[in-house]
Amino acid sequence: MTTEAYFDGGCTCRFVRYRLASKPMFVHCCHCRWCQRETGSAFALNALIESDRVEVTHGAVELVDTPSQSGKGQVIARCPACRLALWSHYGGGGRQVSFIRVGTLDDPDAFPPDIHIFTCSKQPWVVLPEGALAVHEYYKSSEVWPAASLERRRALFPPN
Ligand SMILES: [Zn+2]
Ligand SMILES: [Zn+2]
């Protein structure tokens, strides 16, 4: 019997601590202008995981409505004390999917990107590794995700 590892993370002031019950379904490195602005950096690294696999083990998050590039909006889970952003729920996946900000994990090296998205606005000095999966804007998960991750996604959003 195998036990899946868990992954802990938290904010800078350590009021919020959380635990992922498994590895994510997929990891995005997003080079869109919105992520650049929100992070103050060149890209955002988001690990997509079922929200019921995200347990707040200490403190509580504050959910802040925020505009998003899609126009559908996003909800950002922030520490109410230091205001650091821990994860987002985006319009498409709703509250059932959490986009964990990989840099808030205790071991942020654990989840390198599976795909680079919105490379149309990638900052020119960022050089992607040879052979990295990259798309100009967005993509269809059905064409890219591994079967096991698609299975998890189907469990979240059963076909009618
Ligand atoms: Zn904090
Ligand atoms: Zn983005």
Side-chain angles (χ1 to χ4, degrees):
M1 201 179 132
T2 56
T3 45
E4 248 192 326
Y6 57 79
F7 304 91
D8 288 324
C11 66
T12 287
C13 80
R14 298 188 75 81
F15 173 68
V16 177
R17 297 289 299 160
Y18 68 85
R19 174 167 290 180
L20 307 183
S22 75
K23 290 181 175 176
M25 295 181 282
F26 214 62
V27 180
H28 287 174
C29 185
C30 185
H31 299 265
C32 83
R33 295 297 187 203
W34 288 68
C35 285
Q36 291 175 7
R37 183 168 52 238
E38 284 166 29
T39 58
S41 184
F43 50 77
L45 202 50
N46 289 316
L48 283 60
I49 190 169
E50 300 91 330
S51 295
D52 63 6
R53 298 189 186 198
V54 183
E55 182 194 0
V56 176
T57 52
H58 183 267
V61 293
E62 183 178 31
L63 298 176
V64 182
D65 283 312
T66 309
S68 73
Q69 177 163 43
S70 71
K72 294 177 190 163
Q74 61 173 316
V75 177
I76 301 182
R78 292 182 179 276
C79 168
C82 71
R83 304 287 175 181
L84 189 121
L86 295 153
W87 60 81
S88 294
H89 306 296
Y90 283 98
R95 296 289 176 98
Q96 288 146 289
V97 179
S98 296
F99 285 60
I100 303 291
R101 301 203 178 193
V102 171
T104 67
L105 288 161
D106 294 347
D107 178 15
D109 300 349
F111 303 130
D114 293 308
I115 191 169
H116 293 265
I117 61 174
F118 288 100
T119 57
C120 53
S121 51
K122 181 178 72 61
Q123 294 188 6
W125 61 267
V126 175
V127 180
L128 303 186
E130 190 79 34
L133 188 57
V135 291
H136 201 64
E137 290 189 353
Y138 211 70
Y139 69 99
K140 275 195 175 139
S141 50
S142 58
E143 294 168 1
V144 174
W145 286 22
S149 297
L150 286 171
E151 190 56 45
R152 285 166 63 179
R153 203 179 71 116
R154 263 192 298 277
L156 274 186
F157 305 105
N160 295 318

